[in-house]
Amino acid sequence: MRETEEPWKTEEFASHRGRPGAVLADGTEPKPVVFDIGSGTNMHETSDWWIYDGEGRAPYAPALRASCSCGWRGTTSHTIDWQEATGEGPDAYDTSGPHADWEQHITDVENRTVPIPEDVTDLLTQLRSRLDVLADDAPLAALRVLTVLEHPLAETAEAATFAAQADGQSWDAIATGLGLTAQDARTRLYRYARRP
C-alpha cells in the first residue's frame, strides 16, 4: 500500500511506524481507497485519514485514532473537525491527540524491552556525541572509527544471536525483548547470523 503521509518514527523501534488513522462511525477502520490515475495498470491506493471525508469514493470518518505498523491501534477516538481540516489542509490539521497516544504505545513497547545496562547507555551516548563531532571536524577519522567497529559489532551480533536462539526463547519473547515485531526480529537475527 502506498501512503502519502510521513509516518511517525523512532530511531530504536523500526517495527513501530505510527500515523493517524481514520475511524468510521461504527468504530472500524475503512478499507483503503483505490484511485485510477489513468496510467494503465498502475493504481494509487491510500488509507490516509484525510481521504475519508465522505466525498467521492471514500466513506465518511468522523474520528481519528493512532495506528501503528505493528498492528496496534489506539483506543481513544479523536473527533475530526472536517471544516477545519478542509480549510487548513491535512498537513496543518492538529493530530497531536493520536500522536500522543502512539507515543504512549512506544513507551509501553520500550518498557517491555530488555533494558540496556546503564554503563553501556553512558558509553553509547559518549560515543555518539564524539562521533558527531568527528563527523564535522574530521570526517575521515569518524569513518575510520566506524570501520574499526564493524568487525567486533558483527562478531558480537552473531554470538548474541546464537546465544539467544540456544536459550530456546520464542520469537515472540525475542521480539518483545528487542521492541520489534516477530517478523522483524527474525529478519534481524537472520541477518546477524549470516554476516560475512
Side-chain angles (χ1 to χ4, degrees), residues 96-158:
S96 60
H99 188 258
D101 297 341
W102 176 78
E103 285 181 326
Q104 181 58 53
H105 165 62
I106 295 302
T107 298
D108 295 342
V109 167
E110 184 171 19
N111 288 340
R112 290 189 301 267
T113 62
V114 173
I116 299 172
E118 191 173 324
D119 62 325
V120 175
T121 299
D122 293 342
L123 286 171
L124 290 172
T125 301
Q126 291 174 27
L127 181 60
R128 178 72 184 262
S129 177
R130 185 67 179 108
L131 285 173
D132 286 346
V133 171
L134 269 182
D136 286 337
D137 297 344
L140 291 179
L143 291 170
R144 176 86 195 282
V145 170
L146 294 172
T147 301
V148 168
L149 286 174
E150 280 180 11
H151 187 68
L153 288 175
E155 283 183 340
T156 302
E158 184 177 9

Side-chain angles (χ1 to χ4, degrees), residues 69-91:
S69 59
C70 72
W72 172 89
R73 297 297 182 262
T75 56
T76 305
S77 290
H78 302 271
T79 303
I80 301 172
D81 179 341
W82 279 108
Q83 187 172 10
E84 186 179 322
T86 305
E88 293 182 356
D91 291 337

